[in-house]
Amino acid sequence: MEKHQLFLMNLPTHIMLEILTRLPPKTILICKRVCKTWLELINDPHFATLHSSRCRPGLVVHHSEMFKKYFKLVDFEDAYDYHDLPHDTMLKFNVNKLSSFFDANIVVDGSATGFLFMRDINYKHETLYICNPLTREYIELPQPGSVARYPSVVTHGFGVASKSGEYKVVRIFHERELDPRTRACRRVPSSECQVYTLGTGAWRTVGEAPFSYNSRLLGLSFRGNLHWLIEDLEGYELISCFNLETETFQPFPPPFPGRKLLGSLAVLGDCLCLCDNSSEFDIEIWVMKEYGVEKSWAKEIVIRKIPELAGPSFEVVQALKIFTDGTILLLWGDFFMLYYCTKTGTAKEVDLEQPSGPNSIEAIHYVPSFLSLKRFPLENVSPF
């Protein structure tokens, strides 16, 4: 063994902990194979907590091709500020390995400090999962009870309560009555909000859910709350906010009440944002500079659409990242990702390693973590 290797092996534990927790996740995965001492150190819950507090967010890029689905966990420690999505990803795995059903159709519905919330959207199964791609562990949640059949809708959210630190899955069920002519929602005879706290093994019903939810929308986790961009019965956009600590819905001001949008919510620069694609010529990004304060909403960015994308649009655009030079990373529908330079007004499609043929793409922020799902009692944790 060389001298520098012996030096590293003989460092005090607290110094070794400081060094390892500052490394990118991909490097840490390699370090786990160096020796038993490092493996035990990295597997310690204190290491996971310290590393999570220092790790920069990456991105989960989710591809689907027919009945094959896989994730790329992109580590941006080096590449993120250089407008590059590396082909040499931190981790790649087939998400359908979580399910025993050959026709499983699993999507990502949320992310919270190292864990991904995933759902099999095949109506025959409707299975829910929590997984950690780094530790290769997953939990299959118990069935919540009520099954959604059209025209009923279900939407979900996943986040961490601000004070207790509990991880919670929120499921909102709406029974809908449709107009026989327009098929628009005419009224909601009943609704139900259920909460599953990791480590408890059971769902709880916490009351009714206000407003009418679109089943395609997901709850955005921010500041201990879940946020949904929703429609009322007249088709106007509102923001519904669910406090994960108190498990109650609370009023939340949208940037412009009484307006129809083609929008999505995001977190950019530690601010809640709304990205609107309802205009034929521009994409508007509104920023809530002071969280929860209605008057702090401001139209910060206007992206002029390139000719190929101009005109009436039916695609939701998600803002994923604003770089220090003003370049914005966007996801257009589920078709492609692109960079938009606010200084030059030019757009460039992101070069992604995608499967050939018809496919779709999703992306969600993800903070890599080595937290083990085994920390939650009453959960049946499985490897994959």
Side-chain angles (χ1 to χ4, degrees):
M1 186 177 292
E2 297 183 11
K3 290 184 178 181
H4 69 276
Q5 292 176 308
L6 286 171
F7 174 75
L8 285 173
M9 298 296 293
N10 293 322
L11 282 175
T13 300
H14 70 279
I15 295 178
M16 201 66 245
L17 187 67
E18 286 293 317
I19 295 173
L20 290 175
T21 54
R22 298 177 190 276
L23 296 176
K26 185 176 181 178
T27 305
I28 294 175
L29 289 173
I30 296 173
C31 290
K32 292 181 70 173
R33 300 194 295 266
V34 171
C35 63
K36 184 178 180 180
T37 301
W38 286 11
L39 175 63
E40 292 175 349
L41 185 63
I42 294 170
N43 286 340
D44 188 275
H46 178 61
F47 177 93
T49 302
L50 187 59
H51 175 264
S52 295
S53 68
R54 294 172 172 174
C55 192
R56 284 169 47 173
L59 199 69
V60 172
V61 180
H62 179 212
H63 293 291
S64 65
E65 178 188 13
M66 297 301 287
F67 290 108
K68 298 179 181 177
K69 292 202 171 191
Y70 62 94
F71 287 123
K72 291 181 184 179
L73 304 187
V74 182
D75 176 13
F76 293 121
E77 290 289 345
D78 298 315
Y80 207 35
D81 290 328
Y82 296 96
H83 309 176
D84 182 27
L85 295 183
H87 290 296
D88 184 20
T89 52
M90 176 174 61
L91 192 64
K92 182 176 175 180
F93 63 93
N94 186 349
V95 65
N96 279 357
K97 288 184 178 180
L98 303 183
S99 175
S100 59
F101 298 105
F102 77 94
D103 56 349
N105 190 10
I106 299 175
V107 298
V108 185
D109 270 7
S111 171
T113 318
F115 300 136
L116 295 176
F117 169 56
M118 296 180 294
R119 178 170 59 100
D120 186 350
I121 61 175
N122 187 321
Y123 73 93
K124 299 176 184 177
H125 318 140
E126 296 190 58
T127 312
L128 306 178
Y129 305 93
I130 303 292
C131 99
N132 185 335
L134 288 186
T135 62
R136 294 283 184 163
E137 299 170 330
Y138 78 95
I139 295 169
E140 181 177 328
L141 303 186
Q143 290 294 325
S146 55
V147 178
R149 293 289 182 263
Y150 184 83
S152 299
V153 296
V154 169
T155 189
H156 298 86
F158 176 54
V160 183
S162 56
K163 293 181 180 180
S164 66
E166 293 178 321
Y167 288 78
K168 298 183 179 183
V169 178
V170 177
R171 181 182 187 266
I172 298 172
F173 172 85
H174 273 98
E175 180 186 351
R176 300 188 306 165
E177 184 179 295
L178 304 185
D179 185 293
R181 184 177 59 86
T182 65
R183 309 307 295 169
C185 182
R186 187 162 58 185
R187 71 185 190 98
V188 179
S190 66
S191 66
E192 183 181 56
C193 179
Q194 296 173 285
V195 175
Y196 185 93
T197 303
L198 290 191
T200 63
W203 290 90
R204 292 176 291 108
T205 299
V206 297
E208 295 184 342
F211 306 116
S212 175
Y213 286 77
N214 186 324
S215 61
R216 292 187 61 190
L217 298 181
L218 307 177
L220 175 74
S221 178
F222 183 58
R223 301 283 182 91
N225 297 324
L226 292 174
H227 309 77
W228 288 270
L229 187 63
I230 63 173
E231 293 181 356
D232 63 15
L233 295 180
E234 283 71 46
Y236 295 107
E237 302 286 346
L238 303 168
I239 296 176
S240 180
C241 181
F242 184 83
N243 187 308
L244 288 166
E245 194 69 52
T246 63
E247 298 183 353
T248 56
F249 288 92
Q250 55 195 39
F252 200 89
F256 26 69
R259 176 172 161 181
K260 295 185 178 182
L261 305 174
L262 186 60
S264 65
L265 295 174
V267 176
L268 299 174
D270 200 37
C271 289
L272 184 68
C273 301
L274 189 153
C275 185
D276 178 27
N277 190 31
S278 58
S279 168
E280 292 189 16
F281 306 104
D282 300 315
I283 299 172
E284 299 177 355
I285 298 180
W286 291 73
V287 178
M288 185 178 241
K289 296 184 177 181
E290 188 175 349
Y291 182 70
V293 178
E294 183 175 5
K295 292 183 178 180
S296 71
W297 279 110
K299 185 165 60 175
E300 288 286 290
I301 302 169
V302 177
I303 301 172
R304 192 70 176 175
K305 293 183 181 179
I306 59 177
E308 294 87 342
L309 300 178
S313 178
F314 303 96
E315 301 300 331
V316 172
V317 175
Q318 297 180 54
L320 299 174
K321 166 75 176 178
I322 298 180
F323 296 91
T324 53
D325 67 352
T327 299
I328 305 172
L329 178 63
L330 301 166
L331 175 62
W332 185 280
D334 60 357
F335 298 110
F336 56 87
M337 297 171 66
L338 60 107
Y339 297 118
Y340 181 87
C341 180
T342 54
K343 294 180 180 179
T344 63
T346 57
K348 176 187 176 182
E349 186 172 351
V350 178
D351 181 21
L352 287 171
E353 182 186 359
Q354 293 183 240
S356 58
N359 64 86
S360 63
I361 181 172
E362 301 171 81
I364 190 170
H365 277 267
Y366 173 72
V367 179
S369 172
F370 289 90
L371 289 171
S372 173
L373 286 170
K374 295 177 182 177
R375 64 187 296 213
F376 300 106
L378 304 181
E379 302 292 358
N380 184 19
V381 180
S382 303
F384 69 92

